[in-house]
Amino acid sequence: MDFELFTNILFATLRTGTPLILIALGEMVCEKSGVLNLGQEGMVLMGAALGFIAAVVTGHAGLGIIAAILAGMMMSVLFAFLAVTLVSNQVATGLALTIFGTGLSGFLGAGYVGMAIDGIAPFPIPFLSDIPVIGKVLFSHDPLVYFSWVMFALIFWCFRSTRLGLTIRAVGENPEAANAIGIPVMKVRYGAILFGGAMSGLAGAYLSLVYTPMWSEGMSAGRGWIALALVVFASWKAERILLGAYLFGAASIMHLVLQGLGFEASPNLLAMLPYAATIIVLVIIASDAAKAKLSTPLALGRPYRPQV
Amino acid sequence: MLNITLEKRQSDSKTMSYLSPLFAIILTLISGGLLFTALGQDPFHALYTFFIAPLTDVYGWTELGVKVAPLTLCAIGLMLCFKARIWNIGAEGQFILGGLGGGYIALELLEAEGFWVLPVVLFCGALSGLLWGALTALLKTRFGANEILTTIMLNYIALNWLLYGVHGPLKDPDGFNFPESALFSDFATLPVLSDDYRLNISIFFALFAVAVIWTLMSKTLLGFQIAVLGEDKAAARFAGFKEERLIWFVLLACGALAGLAGVSEVTGSVGQLNPYISPGYGYAAIIVAFLGRMHPVGIVFASMLLALTYMGGEMAQMDLGLPKSLTGLFQGMLLFYLLACDLLISYRIVRKPAARAISSSSNPAQA
């Protein structure tokens, strides 16, 4: 394999991993507060659809990103209202959000299938991007890749050394106790869910404005679900999400690698790889059940209803 | 500030569990009407086009049956899993595998003649779905992997497998390079009930499955064990029920039923393998199971409603020029409203008592 191809593969790995990082970080915060939101896929699709529509209508990709974030948040408010305020079953509600988001995004985006836009241009960081190899691999990306690193750093710091991080964890571990010491449990959960929605919406925008600047129905292709597995794989630790997302990114672009090595394989068979990898990862996590249990937020998926 | 609050009921309301789907349907219709208005359509005409017009003739009802069969088969299998609190989202993949496995055999038997061909094809389809379900069961019981995520991943893998088949080895050599297989022979095609319509005997498979599963759940020890496992895991363990065996059973049964649905679809209304053999029946069946209150009879009615959303989507596309994806939107709305209305099963809405009332009523208790 020649050297340039190797650089290209690393570059593509980072690009492919970025939406997974965004979704998984958002979901991690959400789950840390004790809420299991299985609606990522629906929120990502809504972000992708509305981001694309806004970009086409206004002509500004930046506005597309804002629209995508808002779309993700609107979807997550729906979820929060049902799962937090109306204490519905979180698993079923999350599934509903995905089904609803898939349908709604398909409906809204129907008139925009096949349109082309410019998308968001890469922004090579001055000087840094001139470094050989590293410059190309790390510093010649579009702004959202850098943003995913910023968000990673922020969340890492938040859960490591801030009161906010502690508060969210308290709510996710023991909402009754958190409530007793005066933490507004419902508000914290709403906030965490909204944050997750915003991140998923943004990931959607990454797909439809950067990764493949176009809209097609169901274009997220299960990334929301893969990100959910990623959070478990990372045992709710931001640094392991980063690592895991890039591993999955690499699995998704295997066709590039294989071409580089001179193999021919069916694109459909290679497309199975990230999903198969996810299953393998799930098996590996589950084989260490005791450890997985230790890092799972204690109140994950358990509805909380304040006793008045 | 809203003046109402939720109060937990002493016990779940049975009435509400039956009324909730009704409320959800009404709310969906209202939202649909508002949506059509926003799209510049006459809401009543549009709702009529979506929900009533498809069923104004015999042909419409037979087409409904064409869609009810796969939905019911998938949903009745999912119901078994959900009853046991196994969140199997994999009916879609099992449906596709059923179609792919059965379709593969049908293609191998293109030249074969005789009435044994169809049963063999159907059996292989159901078996393929069952094996796909077995994979989930293995991952769940042997490795403890979360079944929600594994089944969804298996759905995507199944779809890609189908795509590989129709783009590759199963592609019709005389098919002008379209990603489609050859048409199955007449011996591998489900008989239709009448030559004028597409409705085939798969509707009887569905009704038979409903009867069997209904009997299983209401009359047998196995059904009882499944229900107990779902209600209270600890109790099931204490009673000595074999948890792993029950999980295997529900997942295999669901796989076989969804696989049968898949193979019936390809040997019935589709007649070949192509990338679009499932319009999302496996996912819609999740809504069917919830809307049908996890009861076989309810599932038949819920299947009819969900089948109608597919036909309504096509009708709205033809008559109103709206995108076909309205179907998914209506399905999503329906499930959302249902979950919200289900709140009324275990909670009642009461007016918030005035602050004074609280203090005066709590005083005697403290005294």
Side-chain angles (χ1 to χ4, degrees), chain B residues 23-33 47 51 329-331 333-335 337-338:
Chain B
F23 291 156
I25 293 169
I26 294 171
L27 286 169
T28 306
L29 288 178
I30 295 174
S31 312
L47 284 176
F51 288 103
L329 182 54
F330 270 100
Q331 290 178 351
M333 271 201 293
L334 196 58
L335 182 54
Y337 281 129
L338 182 73

Side-chain angles (χ1 to χ4, degrees), chain A residues 104 107, chain B residues 25-48 51 322 326 329-330 333 337:
Chain A
L104 185 58
F107 176 72
Chain B
I25 293 169
I26 294 171
L27 286 169
T28 306
L29 288 178
I30 295 174
S31 312
L34 292 174
L35 176 78
F36 285 128
T37 314
L39 291 169
Q41 303 273 353
D42 171 21
F44 295 103
H45 175 66
L47 284 176
Y48 175 85
F51 288 103
L322 294 171
L326 261 180
L329 182 54
F330 270 100
M333 271 201 293
Y337 281 129

Side-chain angles (χ1 to χ4, degrees), chain A residues 36 38 41 75 78-79 82 85-89 91-93 95-97 99-100 103-104 106-108 110 217 221-223 225-226 228-229 232 266-269 271-272 274-276 278-279 282-283 286-287 305 308, chain B residues 5-7 35 39 82 85 87 89 139 143-146 148-150 152-154 156-158 160-165 167 283-284 286-287 290 322-323 325-326 328-329 331-333 335-337 339-340 343 347 358:
Chain A
L36 180 67
L38 298 183
E41 185 77 2
M75 292 292 283
L78 265 181
F79 176 83
L82 263 91
T85 306
L86 300 186
V87 287
S88 68
N89 180 321
V91 172
T93 311
L95 280 173
L97 193 70
I99 293 175
F100 180 65
L104 185 58
F107 176 72
L108 294 173
E217 215 173 306
R223 285 187 177 83
W225 295 108
I226 292 179
L228 272 161
V232 188
S266 151
N268 299 117
L269 289 182
M272 294 178 185
Y275 309 118
T278 306
I279 293 179
L282 286 167
V283 167
S287 66
R305 188 143 180 82
V308 187
Chain B
T5 180
L6 295 171
E7 187 184 274
L35 176 78
L39 291 169
F82 294 164
R85 287 287 149 88
W87 294 102
I89 317 296
L139 291 166
F143 301 105
N146 179 309
I148 300 176
L149 293 169
T150 55
I152 282 170
M153 295 303 134
L154 288 171
Y156 284 104
I157 293 177
N160 277 301
W161 202 354
L162 171 71
L163 292 177
Y164 165 72
H167 280 107
Y283 294 116
I286 300 170
I287 309 177
F290 276 102
L322 294 171
S325 31
L326 261 180
L329 182 54
Q331 290 178 351
M333 271 201 293
L335 182 54
F336 245 124
Y337 281 129
L339 291 172
L343 173 84
Y347 290 90
I358 288 177

Side-chain angles (χ1 to χ4, degrees), chain B residues 78-337:
Chain B
L78 288 179
M79 181 202 88
L80 272 183
C81 299
F82 294 164
K83 277 262 185 197
R85 287 287 149 88
I86 297 294
W87 294 102
N88 176 10
I89 317 296
E92 180 77 7
Q94 292 148 9
F95 179 98
I96 290 176
L97 249 282
L100 182 62
Y104 170 71
I105 299 297
L107 291 170
E108 289 290 307
L109 297 175
L110 268 186
E111 305 299 323
E113 290 183 9
F115 292 99
W116 53 273
V117 174
L118 185 62
V120 168
V121 169
L122 290 177
F123 175 78
C124 290
L127 186 68
S128 311
L130 179 136
L131 290 175
W132 210 236
L135 208 48
T136 308
L138 180 75
L139 291 166
K140 171 86 185 165
T141 55
R142 174 73 181 76
F143 301 105
N146 179 309
E147 76 275 13
I148 300 176
L149 293 169
T150 55
T151 49
I152 282 170
M153 295 303 134
L154 288 171
N155 288 348
Y156 284 104
I157 293 177
L159 179 63
N160 277 301
W161 202 354
L162 171 71
L163 292 177
Y164 165 72
V166 295
H167 280 107
L170 302 181
K171 188 159 68 178
D172 183 4
D174 310 319
F176 304 104
N177 218 20
F178 281 112
E180 297 172 344
S181 78
L183 289 173
F184 302 149
S185 75
D186 285 349
F187 292 102
T189 305
L190 282 181
V192 288
L193 297 185
S194 152
D195 285 338
D196 298 334
Y197 307 112
R198 297 200 307 155
L199 184 64
N200 58 50
I201 58 168
S202 64
I203 189 79
F204 296 124
F205 301 162
L207 293 177
F208 182 68
V210 166
V212 170
I213 301 291
W214 193 5
T215 316
L216 174 85
M217 288 311 290
S218 59
K219 297 267 189 280
T220 68
L221 179 63
L222 181 60
F224 177 70
Q225 290 182 334
I226 291 171
V228 172
L229 179 67
E231 291 287 327
D232 190 340
K233 226 176 199 178
R237 215 168 283 159
F238 191 68
F241 301 165
K242 304 263 188 307
E243 186 185 340
E244 283 201 1
R245 218 181 278 176
L246 293 173
I247 293 176
W248 271 95
F249 175 77
V250 293
L251 281 167
L252 292 183
C254 178
L257 288 166
L260 180 63
V263 69
S264 303
E265 189 72 9
V266 297
T267 57
S269 46
V270 182
Q272 62 175 164
L273 288 179
N274 65 36
Y276 323 103
I277 59 173
S278 171
Y281 284 143
Y283 294 116
I286 300 170
I287 309 177
V288 171
F290 276 102
L291 194 66
R293 308 283 81 177
M294 308 282 171
H295 189 282
V297 176
I299 282 177
V300 173
F301 284 109
S303 296
M304 291 169 74
L305 183 65
L306 268 281
L308 185 56
T309 61
Y310 283 105
M311 299 173 68
E314 285 165 16
M315 205 63 152
Q317 186 181 31
M318 282 188 293
D319 282 10
L320 307 173
L322 294 171
K324 205 172 153 188
S325 31
L326 261 180
T327 299
L329 182 54
F330 270 100
Q331 290 178 351
M333 271 201 293
L334 196 58
L335 182 54
F336 245 124
Y337 281 129

